[in-house]
Amino acid sequence: MYLHDYLNKIMRVWNAYEGQAVARFLSLQDFHVNEPNLYKENPDAAVSRQLPSPLDEIVSAHLKAVYHLMRSDAPNYTEAYRHQTSCIQAVVKLLQQMKEENWILPIMYVVSIDLRLLATKCEQQTKSSKCGEILEKAAESLMSCFRVCAGDTRSSDEDTKRLGMLNLVNQLLKVYFRINKLHLCKPLIRAIDSSNFKDSFTLAQRITYKYFAGRKAMYDSDFKNAEEYLSFAFDNCPRRFTKNKRLILIYLTPVKMLLGYMPRKEVLERYNVLQFHDLASAVKEGNVRRFDEAIRRHEMFFINAGVYLIVEKMKILTYRNLFKKVHQTLQTHQIDMNAFQTALQFSGAEDVSMDETHCIVANLIYEGRIKGYISYQHNKLVISKQNAFPSVVAA
């Protein structure tokens, strides 16, 4: 395909208002990038003769990015990224010019995705002085598009560019998670959750959004919202996407466990996350030694998944279940603190002191896991005669 033919095809689908077709001609994943006749270092003059502005700027920047990616010697990701940034700046101009029209949104989608992927490549290959600097710059470009879409309040519901917000938010969430700037996610999540179009976005986009919003809620210790977001993502993700369902389950499982719902072994087995099975068994048994061993054994898995600190929080549930067994054994509502210390030592915390025992019990009372108070004068835990150990689900 020659440059003239390529530009003619773009003009034809542009005049037909076929956003998806135009987007394909501007995607770095499309087959046209393998056409050597399109590798032009300076295509500006030829492009501006055949295409209107600012479409000509978008196409020129795209072709320059293709040229630097498909060079015979080696891809120059830095130059390709620079031209892709120019491409998205021209897309912003296009969005601003085409008022009360949203058929061009697919163009914004492909250019945004390619910008993020190129920025990621540059991060991997460039020894930047500041890690995440290139991706952060890419996020600023994506935010320019987001502002235009979010500000389109005058168009009708069918033609509004606000329908493109979620696609951009998902790109931004991926960037912010990668560069570990999670505080920047909050306004984006608030914007989507308060949007009138939150149920109008495609299911695939909503699943991606709920996955990231759920992870953010989990890191904020907002486990009920995290469970709601991640459950939606897991339940609606098609079964054939096993890898994606597994990713969601890695975060959904510890969240559900902290809310008192223990996972079934067959589900964990199906998605190859049996690391949580040993943990769940230890928590249910109130077996501190087995809990510590499970954490140690699967430490690298939990760290790499980013759930190590979340998993550590389950230890308080293990203590709660252990102390409930002490209560069931002694059958009294005034329990000597020595009994708890002995139970802890027997369960694996051999060097636990009385002060540490007091501290563990006090935390359980504070979190509502035990109803009662510590009598320091008599060194006893005085528990409620009714429902002294509230259900973990209700706590």
Side-chain angles (χ1 to χ4, degrees):
M1 178 166 44
Y2 291 98
L3 179 60
H4 179 77
D5 300 325
Y6 169 73
L7 297 174
N8 273 343
K9 285 180 179 179
I10 291 179
M11 201 62 223
R12 197 178 309 126
V13 289
W14 175 264
N15 289 331
Y17 303 104
E18 294 178 20
Q20 293 280 8
V22 178
R24 272 199 306 277
F25 285 115
L26 296 170
S27 169
L28 293 175
Q29 322 301 322
D30 189 64
F31 71 90
H32 74 268
V33 300
N34 297 313
E35 291 283 348
N37 293 320
L38 298 182
Y39 302 163
K40 308 287 181 187
E41 191 172 3
N42 293 299
D44 301 24
V47 174
S48 58
R49 274 198 302 271
Q50 283 186 252
L51 301 179
S53 178
L55 179 62
D56 62 336
E57 293 177 46
I58 297 170
V59 175
S60 288
H62 169 70
L63 288 172
K64 288 173 188 174
V66 170
Y67 170 79
H68 287 288
L69 281 177
M70 306 305 289
R71 288 177 1 163
S72 55
D73 45 354
N76 187 334
Y77 290 111
T78 305
E79 279 300 302
Y81 166 73
R82 188 169 68 81
H83 290 298
Q84 192 67 19
T85 303
S86 301
C87 190
I88 203 158
Q89 286 166 354
V91 168
V92 171
K93 206 183 292 184
L94 178 71
L95 292 168
Q96 290 168 333
Q97 279 188 20
M98 302 194 71
K99 299 184 188 302
E100 299 189 15
E101 291 181 77
N102 66 5
W103 62 271
I104 50 173
L105 286 177
I107 299 170
M108 179 187 75
Y109 298 158
V110 298
V111 173
S112 300
I113 290 168
D114 286 340
L115 180 76
R116 177 178 62 81
L117 294 175
L118 274 174
T120 306
K121 271 284 184 192
C122 288
E123 286 281 356
Q124 289 167 352
Q125 300 216 335
T126 309
K127 300 298 176 198
S128 173
S129 56
K130 187 181 172 190
C131 185
E133 193 173 17
I134 300 169
L135 275 164
E136 200 166 349
K137 285 271 195 302
E140 287 171 16
S141 298
L142 295 175
M143 274 303 294
S144 302
C145 290
F146 178 77
R147 288 188 198 101
V148 176
C149 292
D152 185 24
T153 53
R154 295 191 177 184
S155 304
S156 66
D157 287 357
E158 293 77 24
D159 298 323
T160 183
K161 294 181 184 70
R162 283 182 290 168
L163 291 169
M165 284 167 60
L166 189 57
N167 186 287
L168 287 168
V169 165
N170 286 340
Q171 298 304 319
L172 286 162
L173 290 174
K174 286 175 184 179
V175 171
Y176 293 147
F177 267 82
R178 192 174 185 97
I179 63 176
N180 199 26
K181 296 219 167 177
L182 301 192
H183 63 284
L184 297 173
C185 300
K186 199 170 183 179
L188 298 174
I189 292 169
R190 198 185 304 123
I192 296 300
D193 284 350
S194 62
S195 169
N196 296 331
F197 300 97
K198 63 183 175 187
D199 297 324
S200 306
F201 301 118
T202 66
L203 183 60
Q205 287 181 357
R206 283 156 65 202
I207 289 168
T208 303
Y209 167 72
K210 297 280 187 180
Y211 166 71
F212 284 106
R215 286 179 64 187
K216 174 69 172 76
M218 179 189 77
Y219 292 132
D220 290 341
S221 296
D222 182 3
F223 298 119
K224 284 194 173 149
N225 268 331
E227 194 263 340
E228 188 184 320
Y229 285 130
L230 291 166
S231 291
F232 178 94
F234 185 77
D235 295 341
N236 289 282
C237 183
R239 289 191 72 170
R240 68 182 183 276
F241 298 116
T242 313
K243 186 183 172 186
N244 290 353
K245 285 184 86 78
R246 180 179 184 270
L247 268 177
I248 299 165
L249 202 60
I250 285 171
Y251 301 100
L252 179 58
T253 303
V255 165
K256 277 200 167 277
M257 286 172 72
L258 282 165
L259 292 173
Y261 302 99
M262 294 300 147
R264 295 199 311 273
K265 187 178 180 180
E266 55 267 30
V267 176
L268 300 177
E269 211 161 23
R270 188 185 311 150
Y271 295 103
N272 190 27
V273 283
L274 275 170
Q275 292 88 341
F276 290 106
H277 176 66
D278 295 342
L279 216 54
S281 302
V283 171
K284 278 193 278 190
E285 290 172 18
N287 191 325
V288 180
R289 182 183 288 105
R290 191 173 172 189
F291 181 89
D292 289 341
E293 283 171 0
I295 291 272
R296 250 192 322 273
R297 193 179 314 121
H298 306 300
E299 184 178 41
M300 287 318 298
F301 169 79
F302 295 135
I303 289 171
N304 292 335
V307 295
Y308 184 83
L309 294 177
I310 305 298
V311 163
E312 273 281 348
K313 290 182 184 222
M314 292 178 205
K315 197 162 193 175
I316 200 80
L317 298 183
T318 314
Y319 290 139
R320 178 251 182 213
N321 292 341
L322 174 64
F323 292 168
K324 186 178 180 182
K325 286 184 175 180
V326 172
H327 166 59
Q328 288 169 339
T329 304
L330 298 177
Q331 290 293 310
T332 174
H333 69 280
Q334 293 186 9
I335 307 168
D336 195 308
M337 293 298 288
N338 287 307
F340 291 130
Q341 185 183 17
T342 304
L344 285 167
Q345 289 169 342
F346 181 76
S347 186
E350 287 92 352
D351 55 351
V352 70
S353 67
M354 182 53 73
D355 284 344
E356 287 171 318
T357 306
H358 275 265
C359 190
I360 292 167
V361 173
N363 277 327
L364 285 164
I365 294 169
Y366 174 75
E367 289 191 13
R369 309 291 185 187
I370 295 177
K371 283 186 184 175
Y373 64 91
I374 299 172
S375 169
Y376 288 96
Q377 188 179 354
H378 300 99
N379 197 36
K380 288 190 177 192
L381 171 68
V382 182
I383 56 173
S384 169
K385 290 182 180 178
Q386 289 184 332
N387 196 21
F389 290 82
S391 165
V392 175
V393 177

